[in-house]
Amino acid sequence: MKNEKIEVDIKVPNQTRYLSLIGKIGEDIARTLKRYKGDREELAYHINLVLTESMTNAIRHAHEGDPTKEVHLTISIQESNLVIKVYDQGQGFDISKAPMPKFKCLDEHGRGVFIIHSLMDSVTYREFDGGHVLEMIKAL
Amino acid sequence: MILKVEEKDDVVLIQVKEERLDAHNSGELKNQMLNLFEEGKNHIVIDLQDVRFVDSSGLGALVSGFKNASARNGNLKLCGLQPQVKSMFELTRLHRVFEIFPGTDEALDSF
């Protein structure tokens, strides 16, 4: 199908218990992408992972764990790209400014942003509607 | 989080009976390990056979356990990594840090 269009729009409470739900939705979308010539199971895992990492950043850093806040995200197929947007209503957490992990130093934290940058083709973070949006694009 | 904890001579075997080890549940694994360290149990094997998905928080919990075990002259070793989980260790270079075994027997015998 040439004009296969998918857009999923999800809002969940600012709680880590929803990570697996969102990750699974991302995996299932990746598995439907017949045009993707690579390993679809690997793509599914990677989409699950970037959704989990970006949502965790929104929940813990941008929203500082406030359970009354909400995480809003969209997953869409636009032409030959898979586009994931994660909106936050917080002070922001600019992952483009996060340092690269020092592989020789065994730090417990700081690998999430590295993972997102490693697995996606484009990652941007900008102000949007009183909060921020993290946009991650994967070419299919 | 479901963790099965068994003592095998001087080594504690922790089997993670979850499909995901992530930001939601990895704190529980970290706390379980901290309890063991407080009891002086510093030789640990973590069996990840049932874990299909690990994120940076899950990796962070394992790094925390590894550092604590090493600081107490113990060790923390891993076994049963599924291919996608193993690829996460490779991406973050952590496969060079941990001793990783195919199964629990090999991991337990290595102590």
Side-chain angles (χ1 to χ4, degrees), chain B residues 11-26:
Chain B
V11 185
V12 180
L13 171 66
I14 302 176
Q15 291 172 285
V16 181
K17 297 286 189 192
E18 296 284 342
E19 193 187 305
R20 285 171 66 100
L21 179 59
D22 64 9
H24 183 58
N25 62 13
S26 58

Side-chain angles (χ1 to χ4, degrees), chain A:
Chain A
M1 279 216 295
K2 208 176 174 189
N3 295 315
E4 198 175 19
K5 267 196 173 176
I6 300 175
E7 172 146 6
V8 181
D9 192 299
I10 313 165
K11 286 178 182 165
V12 289
N14 192 52
Q15 296 166 28
T16 53
R17 56 186 290 246
Y18 295 100
L19 291 173
S20 76
L21 169 71
I22 304 302
K24 271 182 198 140
I25 292 170
E27 283 204 341
D28 285 347
I29 290 173
R31 289 195 183 105
T32 67
L33 299 174
K34 295 208 168 59
R35 75 182 80 173
Y36 187 69
K37 297 286 180 258
D39 180 341
R40 243 184 283 163
E41 276 309 305
E42 185 182 69
L43 177 70
Y45 190 90
H46 289 171
I47 298 307
N48 186 344
L49 196 53
V50 298
L51 283 165
T52 300
E53 298 292 351
S54 57
M55 251 186 89
T56 302
N57 281 337
I59 292 168
R60 295 210 168 140
H61 300 294
H63 293 164
E64 297 171 325
D66 180 348
T68 63
K69 286 194 168 153
E70 193 175 62
V71 181
H72 175 203
L73 56 102
T74 62
I75 307 167
S76 59
I77 311 299
Q78 295 173 9
E79 295 171 8
S80 54
N81 290 322
L82 174 72
V83 182
I84 296 171
K85 292 181 187 174
V86 180
Y87 298 86
D88 68 58
Q89 309 150 292
Q91 301 275 341
F93 176 73
D94 190 348
I95 71 162
S96 64
K97 292 199 176 110
M100 284 288 288
K102 296 185 191 92
F103 290 117
K104 285 186 179 163
C105 161
L106 268 184
D107 204 329
E108 268 181 63
H109 304 283
R111 290 182 183 82
V113 170
F114 167 75
I115 288 169
I116 292 172
H117 279 289
S118 302
L119 302 180
M120 300 304 275
D121 295 307
S122 154
V123 181
T124 56
Y125 188 78
R126 59 176 191 273
E127 287 186 22
F128 180 84
D129 199 19
H132 299 82
V133 57
L134 171 71
E135 185 177 67
M136 302 176 285
I137 300 174
K138 176 92 180 165
L140 299 173

